[in-house]
Amino acid sequence: MKTVYTCFDTDVIHEGHLELIRQASAVGELTVGALSDRALMSCGGFSTLGEKERALMYSGLEGVGRLCIQDDIFYGGEIERYRPDVVIHAEGWRIPAVREQALRALEHYGGTLMEIPRLSSESIRRAEGAMRDRLSMPEFRRRRLRAQLKALPIVRVIEAHNGLTGLIAEKTSVAAAEGLRQFDAMWISSLCDSAARGKPDIALVDMTARAGTVTEITEVTTKPVILDCDNGGAPEHLPYNIRTLERLGVSAVMIEDKEGAKKNSLFGVRHGQTQADREDFCRKIAAGKEAQLTEDFMLIARVESLILEKGMEDALERAQSYVRAGADGIMIHSRRKDPGEILDFCKRFRERCPDTPLVAVPSSYNGVTEEQLSACGVNMVIYANQLIRSAFPAMQQTAEEILRFHRAKESEERLMPISDIITLIDTI
Ligand code: SPV
Ligand code: MG
């Protein structure tokens, strides 16, 4: 009897999977690997079920013999362990490097790869759509960020301010050593949410409008959302806002320890920004935490001491106080070009609070790599404004060229083809 191996990461079994199992079990005894949650998340995926539940679901299917958890997107480890005669997979691998690695591992002992045509039908399309829809539901989206923080060396977050930028955050991927590199979550920046409406970042866009942005983005994406909520507003409003955000499926709110008229941190001290009293801010954090209803939701406290030139010790002491007040994470911000003070803070914070998630926003100190941040204890990196900053000059250039040439032909080469823009958005 031959042995056959395949790996599934699906939450929804459709006729394509059943056909693959039918063909596999006709060849020999089938082992199915359920891709682990960690491996799934490392390539930007997520499961509404969890690896054990998925494995249980696969084990109930006729034709499935043995089950295992495959803890790597690459098949090499399992191929070495089980030495299957055949690995079976549908044609059109999502990550070509995974196929190549499986082929190399099989070559060692003369195993073969069997690729079967990928079925496509209305019911498969509906099943895949159902899986996406489930992932977009508040209960699954909300909890995804905490799961990522546990599973990933660093959670990679990019700014989104409308449905379209949400789609870029959701879908952009590049081939990488780990298989596929994607963004893990989205940051709804006060700066970009304001700028996209042609408004300054002075807390002018109110929570009702911000919640509209969240809805626009969550309607077309599945990844977790972190909302930049300035200083959290009036202490008596924060509990209401937290309930609203939880209901919308937001995973985390970030509030900064400033008071008075809102100014963007990157202006620095010249613009008269004032840091909140430490105890007042601790009370705000505690009130926010008290209001939350789900275990999943996170409140991240942002320390502005380095922005406001109050010194490293003040930053560290405030961060510790905020953790004691109940903050689920700390964001430390800096407007220096050199990452030195941030890396110094991170290392020293880690000695005092080994487990608290730590967030960095390398807008000014953009030369630092994710690896350097992670080595100093950072768990989440936020690319807070790069999408809108790349869109604005591109649009402005096109507008200027049309004015200059009295037509659009000269800009055409730089533009996305019309055939692409009309098919960019999936229909339900
Ligand atoms: C934002 O993106 O709105 C932020 C980060 O708060 S910063 O602009 O650097 O203050
Ligand atoms: Mg902001």
Side-chain angles (χ1 to χ4, degrees), residues 187 189-191 201 228-230 256 262 264-265 302:
W187 162 250
S189 143
S190 67
L191 170 63
D201 183 18
D228 169 10
C229 208
D230 295 327
E256 62 199 35
K262 153 80 201 231
N264 184 278
S265 300
R302 164 170 165 178

